[in-house]
PDB file of all heavy atoms in Angstrom:
ATOM      1  N   ARG A 128      71.856 105.210 105.831  1.00  0.00           N
ATOM      2  CA  ARG A 128      70.609 105.911 105.485  1.00  0.00           C
ATOM      3  C   ARG A 128      69.564 104.937 104.940  1.00  0.00           C
ATOM      4  O   ARG A 128      68.369 105.200 105.001  1.00  0.00           O
ATOM      5  CB  ARG A 128      70.880 107.023 104.462  1.00  0.00           C
ATOM      6  CG  ARG A 128      71.764 108.141 105.020  1.00  0.00           C
ATOM      7  CD  ARG A 128      71.464 109.497 104.356  1.00  0.00           C
ATOM      8  NE  ARG A 128      71.714 109.522 102.923  1.00  0.00           N
ATOM      9  CZ  ARG A 128      72.893 109.818 102.367  1.00  0.00           C
ATOM     10  NH1 ARG A 128      73.926 110.103 103.133  1.00  0.00           N
ATOM     11  NH2 ARG A 128      73.032 109.849 101.062  1.00  0.00           N
ATOM     12  N   GLY A 130      69.010 102.095 106.232  1.00  0.00           N
ATOM     13  CA  GLY A 130      68.510 101.266 107.329  1.00  0.00           C
ATOM     14  C   GLY A 130      69.511 100.270 107.883  1.00  0.00           C
ATOM     15  O   GLY A 130      69.156  99.400 108.683  1.00  0.00           O
ATOM     16  N   MET A 139      73.120  89.371 108.172  1.00  0.00           N
ATOM     17  CA  MET A 139      73.203  88.959 106.762  1.00  0.00           C
ATOM     18  C   MET A 139      74.355  87.974 106.568  1.00  0.00           C
ATOM     19  O   MET A 139      74.266  87.042 105.783  1.00  0.00           O
ATOM     20  CB  MET A 139      73.372  90.188 105.864  1.00  0.00           C
ATOM     21  CG  MET A 139      72.069  90.958 105.698  1.00  0.00           C
ATOM     22  SD  MET A 139      72.120  92.101 104.303  1.00  0.00           S
ATOM     23  CE  MET A 139      72.829  93.531 105.079  1.00  0.00           C
ATOM     24  N   ARG A 143      73.871  84.093 105.316  1.00  0.00           N
ATOM     25  CA  ARG A 143      74.668  83.524 104.228  1.00  0.00           C
ATOM     26  C   ARG A 143      75.420  82.281 104.717  1.00  0.00           C
ATOM     27  O   ARG A 143      75.581  81.304 103.990  1.00  0.00           O
ATOM     28  CB  ARG A 143      75.641  84.595 103.706  1.00  0.00           C
ATOM     29  CG  ARG A 143      76.293  84.266 102.390  1.00  0.00           C
ATOM     30  CD  ARG A 143      75.300  84.306 101.229  1.00  0.00           C
ATOM     31  NE  ARG A 143      75.796  83.496 100.127  1.00  0.00           N
ATOM     32  CZ  ARG A 143      75.181  83.354  98.959  1.00  0.00           C
ATOM     33  NH1 ARG A 143      74.033  83.957  98.727  1.00  0.00           N
ATOM     34  NH2 ARG A 143      75.680  82.579  98.030  1.00  0.00           N
ATOM     35  N   ILE A 189      66.677  90.178 117.325  1.00  0.00           N
ATOM     36  CA  ILE A 189      67.212  91.529 117.101  1.00  0.00           C
ATOM     37  C   ILE A 189      67.237  91.811 115.609  1.00  0.00           C
ATOM     38  O   ILE A 189      66.588  92.727 115.122  1.00  0.00           O
ATOM     39  CB  ILE A 189      68.630  91.660 117.713  1.00  0.00           C
ATOM     40  CG1 ILE A 189      68.572  91.419 119.223  1.00  0.00           C
ATOM     41  CG2 ILE A 189      69.220  93.039 117.389  1.00  0.00           C
ATOM     42  CD1 ILE A 189      67.726  92.416 120.004  1.00  0.00           C
ATOM     43  N   ASP A 191      66.961  89.169 112.433  1.00  0.00           N
ATOM     44  CA  ASP A 191      66.806  87.778 112.055  1.00  0.00           C
ATOM     45  C   ASP A 191      67.971  87.326 111.161  1.00  0.00           C
ATOM     46  O   ASP A 191      68.266  88.007 110.184  1.00  0.00           O
ATOM     47  CB  ASP A 191      65.463  87.669 111.318  1.00  0.00           C
ATOM     48  CG  ASP A 191      65.132  86.255 110.944  1.00  0.00           C
ATOM     49  OD1 ASP A 191      65.392  85.365 111.762  1.00  0.00           O
ATOM     50  OD2 ASP A 191      64.626  86.060 109.819  1.00  0.00           O
ATOM     51  N   PHE A 240      80.449  92.692  94.208  1.00  0.00           N
ATOM     52  CA  PHE A 240      80.298  91.496  95.032  1.00  0.00           C
ATOM     53  C   PHE A 240      81.329  91.446  96.163  1.00  0.00           C
ATOM     54  O   PHE A 240      82.481  91.829  95.992  1.00  0.00           O
ATOM     55  CB  PHE A 240      80.465  90.251  94.143  1.00  0.00           C
ATOM     56  CG  PHE A 240      80.387  88.956  94.902  1.00  0.00           C
ATOM     57  CD1 PHE A 240      79.158  88.398  95.221  1.00  0.00           C
ATOM     58  CD2 PHE A 240      81.548  88.307  95.316  1.00  0.00           C
ATOM     59  CE1 PHE A 240      79.081  87.210  95.930  1.00  0.00           C
ATOM     60  CE2 PHE A 240      81.474  87.114  96.028  1.00  0.00           C
ATOM     61  CZ  PHE A 240      80.240  86.566  96.336  1.00  0.00           C
ATOM     62  N   MET A 243      80.768  87.539 102.114  1.00  0.00           N
ATOM     63  CA  MET A 243      80.667  87.921 103.525  1.00  0.00           C
ATOM     64  C   MET A 243      81.242  86.855 104.458  1.00  0.00           C
ATOM     65  O   MET A 243      81.410  87.092 105.647  1.00  0.00           O
ATOM     66  CB  MET A 243      79.207  88.216 103.905  1.00  0.00           C
ATOM     67  CG  MET A 243      78.661  89.459 103.233  1.00  0.00           C
ATOM     68  SD  MET A 243      76.984  89.870 103.798  1.00  0.00           S
ATOM     69  CE  MET A 243      77.336  90.957 105.185  1.00  0.00           C
TER      70      MET A 243
ATOM     71  N   TYR B  79      71.666  88.334  97.688  1.00  0.00           N
ATOM     72  CA  TYR B  79      72.830  87.671  98.285  1.00  0.00           C
ATOM     73  C   TYR B  79      72.533  87.242  99.725  1.00  0.00           C
ATOM     74  O   TYR B  79      72.768  86.105 100.117  1.00  0.00           O
ATOM     75  CB  TYR B  79      74.044  88.602  98.253  1.00  0.00           C
ATOM     76  CG  TYR B  79      75.267  88.016  98.923  1.00  0.00           C
ATOM     77  CD1 TYR B  79      76.016  87.023  98.296  1.00  0.00           C
ATOM     78  CD2 TYR B  79      75.654  88.426 100.200  1.00  0.00           C
ATOM     79  CE1 TYR B  79      77.119  86.458  98.913  1.00  0.00           C
ATOM     80  CE2 TYR B  79      76.756  87.867 100.817  1.00  0.00           C
ATOM     81  CZ  TYR B  79      77.491  86.887 100.171  1.00  0.00           C
ATOM     82  OH  TYR B  79      78.579  86.322 100.789  1.00  0.00           O
ATOM     83  N   SER B  80      72.009  88.190 100.503  1.00  0.00           N
ATOM     84  CA  SER B  80      71.581  87.860 101.859  1.00  0.00           C
ATOM     85  C   SER B  80      70.627  88.947 102.330  1.00  0.00           C
ATOM     86  O   SER B  80      70.483  89.987 101.682  1.00  0.00           O
ATOM     87  CB  SER B  80      72.769  87.735 102.815  1.00  0.00           C
ATOM     88  OG  SER B  80      72.350  87.149 104.031  1.00  0.00           O
ATOM     89  N   SER B  82      68.108  90.437 106.049  1.00  0.00           N
ATOM     90  CA  SER B  82      67.756  90.310 107.460  1.00  0.00           C
ATOM     91  C   SER B  82      66.517  91.141 107.748  1.00  0.00           C
ATOM     92  O   SER B  82      66.323  92.203 107.163  1.00  0.00           O
ATOM     93  CB  SER B  82      68.903  90.778 108.355  1.00  0.00           C
ATOM     94  OG  SER B  82      68.517  90.731 109.721  1.00  0.00           O
ATOM     95  N   HIS B  85      64.704  94.220 113.677  1.00  0.00           N
ATOM     96  CA  HIS B  85      63.688  94.421 114.717  1.00  0.00           C
ATOM     97  C   HIS B  85      64.062  95.512 115.706  1.00  0.00           C
ATOM     98  O   HIS B  85      63.311  95.799 116.625  1.00  0.00           O
ATOM     99  CB  HIS B  85      63.442  93.107 115.478  1.00  0.00           C
ATOM    100  CG  HIS B  85      62.755  92.056 114.670  1.00  0.00           C
ATOM    101  ND1 HIS B  85      61.392  91.882 114.668  1.00  0.00           N
ATOM    102  CD2 HIS B  85      63.245  91.147 113.797  1.00  0.00           C
ATOM    103  CE1 HIS B  85      61.062  90.895 113.852  1.00  0.00           C
ATOM    104  NE2 HIS B  85      62.178  90.423 113.305  1.00  0.00           N
ATOM    105  N   ARG B  90      63.852 104.295 112.765  1.00  0.00           N
ATOM    106  CA  ARG B  90      62.705 104.007 111.908  1.00  0.00           C
ATOM    107  C   ARG B  90      61.834 102.901 112.473  1.00  0.00           C
ATOM    108  O   ARG B  90      62.198 102.220 113.416  1.00  0.00           O
ATOM    109  CB  ARG B  90      63.148 103.678 110.485  1.00  0.00           C
ATOM    110  CG  ARG B  90      64.103 102.496 110.393  1.00  0.00           C
ATOM    111  CD  ARG B  90      64.375 102.170 108.944  1.00  0.00           C
ATOM    112  NE  ARG B  90      65.246 103.159 108.319  1.00  0.00           N
ATOM    113  CZ  ARG B  90      65.456 103.250 107.014  1.00  0.00           C
ATOM    114  NH1 ARG B  90      64.851 102.433 106.192  1.00  0.00           N
ATOM    115  NH2 ARG B  90      66.288 104.133 106.525  1.00  0.00           N
ATOM    116  N   TYR B  94      61.597  95.908 109.549  1.00  0.00           N
ATOM    117  CA  TYR B  94      61.756  96.130 108.115  1.00  0.00           C
ATOM    118  C   TYR B  94      62.837  95.167 107.618  1.00  0.00           C
ATOM    119  O   TYR B  94      63.658  94.693 108.402  1.00  0.00           O
ATOM    120  CB  TYR B  94      62.126  97.580 107.781  1.00  0.00           C
ATOM    121  CG  TYR B  94      63.411  98.091 108.403  1.00  0.00           C
ATOM    122  CD1 TYR B  94      64.629  97.995 107.727  1.00  0.00           C
ATOM    123  CD2 TYR B  94      63.413  98.691 109.661  1.00  0.00           C
ATOM    124  CE1 TYR B  94      65.806  98.483 108.282  1.00  0.00           C
ATOM    125  CE2 TYR B  94      64.589  99.181 110.233  1.00  0.00           C
ATOM    126  CZ  TYR B  94      65.784  99.081 109.540  1.00  0.00           C
ATOM    127  OH  TYR B  94      66.945  99.541 110.096  1.00  0.00           O
ATOM    128  N   TYR B  98      71.258  92.607 100.566  1.00  0.00           N
ATOM    129  CA  TYR B  98      72.190  92.940  99.489  1.00  0.00           C
ATOM    130  C   TYR B  98      71.720  92.277  98.209  1.00  0.00           C
ATOM    131  O   TYR B  98      71.497  91.058  98.187  1.00  0.00           O
ATOM    132  CB  TYR B  98      73.598  92.452  99.821  1.00  0.00           C
ATOM    133  CG  TYR B  98      74.359  93.364 100.766  1.00  0.00           C
ATOM    134  CD1 TYR B  98      74.941  92.862 101.932  1.00  0.00           C
ATOM    135  CD2 TYR B  98      74.520  94.719 100.471  1.00  0.00           C
ATOM    136  CE1 TYR B  98      75.659  93.690 102.785  1.00  0.00           C
ATOM    137  CE2 TYR B  98      75.232  95.553 101.320  1.00  0.00           C
ATOM    138  CZ  TYR B  98      75.805  95.036 102.473  1.00  0.00           C
ATOM    139  OH  TYR B  98      76.509  95.856 103.308  1.00  0.00           O
ATOM    140  N   ASN B 104      78.652  93.004  88.256  1.00  0.00           N
ATOM    141  CA  ASN B 104      79.320  93.273  89.522  1.00  0.00           C
ATOM    142  C   ASN B 104      78.923  94.585  90.201  1.00  0.00           C
ATOM    143  O   ASN B 104      79.771  95.418  90.512  1.00  0.00           O
ATOM    144  CB  ASN B 104      80.845  93.216  89.333  1.00  0.00           C
ATOM    145  CG  ASN B 104      81.551  92.978  90.649  1.00  0.00           C
ATOM    146  OD1 ASN B 104      80.985  92.393  91.563  1.00  0.00           O
ATOM    147  ND2 ASN B 104      82.786  93.439  90.750  1.00  0.00           N
ATOM    148  N   ASP B 121      70.102  83.946  97.150  1.00  0.00           N
ATOM    149  CA  ASP B 121      70.310  83.621  95.729  1.00  0.00           C
ATOM    150  C   ASP B 121      69.031  83.607  94.901  1.00  0.00           C
ATOM    151  O   ASP B 121      69.072  83.241  93.729  1.00  0.00           O
ATOM    152  CB  ASP B 121      71.043  82.270  95.548  1.00  0.00           C
ATOM    153  CG  ASP B 121      72.487  82.341  96.035  1.00  0.00           C
ATOM    154  OD1 ASP B 121      73.013  83.466  96.112  1.00  0.00           O
ATOM    155  OD2 ASP B 121      73.063  81.282  96.332  1.00  0.00           O
TER     156      ASP B 121
END
Side-chain angles (χ1 to χ4, degrees):
Chain A
R128 295 209 298 272
M139 284 196 273
R143 194 70 203 182
I189 299 298
D191 184 40
F240 178 82
M243 292 185 91
Chain B
Y79 177 75
S80 192
S82 176
H85 291 267
R90 58 175 73 192
Y94 59 92
Y98 280 127
N104 201 27
D121 292 339

